[in-house]
Amino acid sequence: MNDTLTLCLEILFWFALFVVFYTYLGYGILLYILVKLKEFFVKPVRHPLPATDGELPEVTLFITAFNEEEVVDEKMENCLELDYPADKLHIVWVTDGSNDGTNERLQTRWQGKATVHFQPLRQGKTAAMTRGMTLVDTPLVVFTDANTMVNREAIREIVLAFQDPKVGCVAGEKRIAVQTKDGAAPGGEGIYWKYESTLKALDARLYSAVGAAGELFAVRRELFEAMEPDTLLDDFILSLRITMKGYTIAYRTNAYAIESGSADMREEEKRKVRIAAGGLQSIWRLRPLLNPFRYGVLSFQYTSHRVLRWSVTPFLLFALLPLNVAILLSGGPTVFYGVLLGMQLLFYGLGYWGYYLSARQIKNKILFIPYYFLFMNINVLKGIRYLKKKKGNGAWEKAKRSEK
């Protein structure tokens, strides 16, 4: 009986360990191999920009904002510095519910430079996007956040990607401005996004990027689809619904948005819990994408890159420790599983040490990694409660960003 129990526990343990490894490292390794194999046989097709600026398409730079008075001037200066013909770039702000000086600033200092669509009622970012898009008539729309700064070449890079008729959405790269004095929040977030950007670029080279980040992404206007008002990850839902229509998401590393990391781990927790809740919501609303017979490679990418992270993997990660203990107690190989238990305890210990140092504003980049990894997975579990609590509410919940 004991042998059977031990065997069952070992099978569960190794299954859990495989899924955790595959989710965070294995998929990246497999993806890299698949991309190299594909590009060995099929060379990428390059599409040039129109020969003259007069042939470039008109573009709307679309900014949804809620009480962003402090960054309006910096954002507008950034928008006006973009390398794109001024007569073809239309700057639009949708500021629903803003009750600070955002609207006044835009309508005084920046009058004539931007169009402002405002309504007193605050219904949330998704509702603001849907309302604002009914007032846009350019063929391409670039979405960006008020608190992110875009590189000068970004619009041309995005337009270049759209020269491929198969591309329905273009995802820019998100970069975190990490200062030498920064703690675990921006430091961990910066490391996470560097890895995430590498995966996105590989995904796009294999077939399609799996979603876009709201800091900078673009769509063909006719492909925009109104989303449910309580949508938490509007950028993710919108971009993947475009792929469900047969288009792909291109990824442009040379079109990027820079923003500061969260002010501290408490603020980063708000953001991560909301993203995790949005991920769970997205899995349900995008459930047809789980069908590999219908969506093929895209379904494989979506499940491997996103679904596992937001569903079973965090549970399996935290099950490894009790499973390891149970195997030892049931009579499993003491030395082998004892070493594995020791390694797990060491990892959790390093994560706690990272937390301890972070709480005291002591910087240690090495310890940020186990701390931030555990922190992310804990917040996926918290996201379940958040989703139930916030059901039906699509209003913004902004995390405070660190000062530059």
Side-chain angles (χ1 to χ4, degrees), residues 283-331:
I283 291 171
W284 175 250
R285 291 184 178 175
L286 298 172
R287 56 192 181 279
L289 268 178
L290 297 172
N291 183 353
F293 299 104
R294 183 175 178 183
Y295 292 103
V297 175
L298 179 62
S299 179
F300 158 71
Q301 291 179 290
Y302 170 62
T303 303
S304 299
H305 192 161
R306 297 297 186 184
V307 175
L308 290 176
R309 289 190 193 185
W310 288 333
S311 56
V312 298
T313 299
F315 292 95
L316 295 177
L317 171 67
F318 294 118
L320 285 171
L321 188 61
L323 280 172
N324 200 157
V325 172
I327 290 169
L328 286 170
L329 291 176
S330 68

Side-chain angles (χ1 to χ4, degrees), residues 228 230-233 236-237 240-241 244 275-291 302 306-307 310-311 387 391:
E228 298 85 345
D230 65 340
T231 299
L232 294 172
L233 298 184
F236 188 74
I237 291 279
L240 280 181
R241 281 181 175 167
M244 292 170 72
I275 290 172
L280 291 167
Q281 183 189 67
S282 299
I283 291 171
W284 175 250
R285 291 184 178 175
L286 298 172
R287 56 192 181 279
L289 268 178
L290 297 172
N291 183 353
Y302 170 62
R306 297 297 186 184
V307 175
W310 288 333
S311 56
L387 188 60
K391 191 173 183 180

Side-chain angles (χ1 to χ4, degrees), residues 52 98 191 245:
T52 65
S98 290
I191 293 168
K245 297 174 183 178

Side-chain angles (χ1 to χ4, degrees), residues 45-47 139-141 157-172 204-205 207-209 212 217-224 239 242-252:
V45 178
R46 302 193 181 279
H47 300 269
L140 302 178
V141 183
E157 286 289 329
I158 287 169
V159 170
L160 175 60
F162 278 118
Q163 298 307 298
D164 182 350
K166 294 179 181 178
V167 172
C169 173
V170 178
R205 286 165 63 186
Y207 174 68
S208 171
F217 76 107
V219 302
R220 296 186 190 275
R221 179 178 54 83
E222 70 271 16
L223 297 179
F224 179 85
S239 57
I242 287 174
T243 65
M244 292 170 72
K245 297 174 183 178
Y247 293 86
T248 63
I249 302 171
Y251 187 74
R252 306 300 290 187

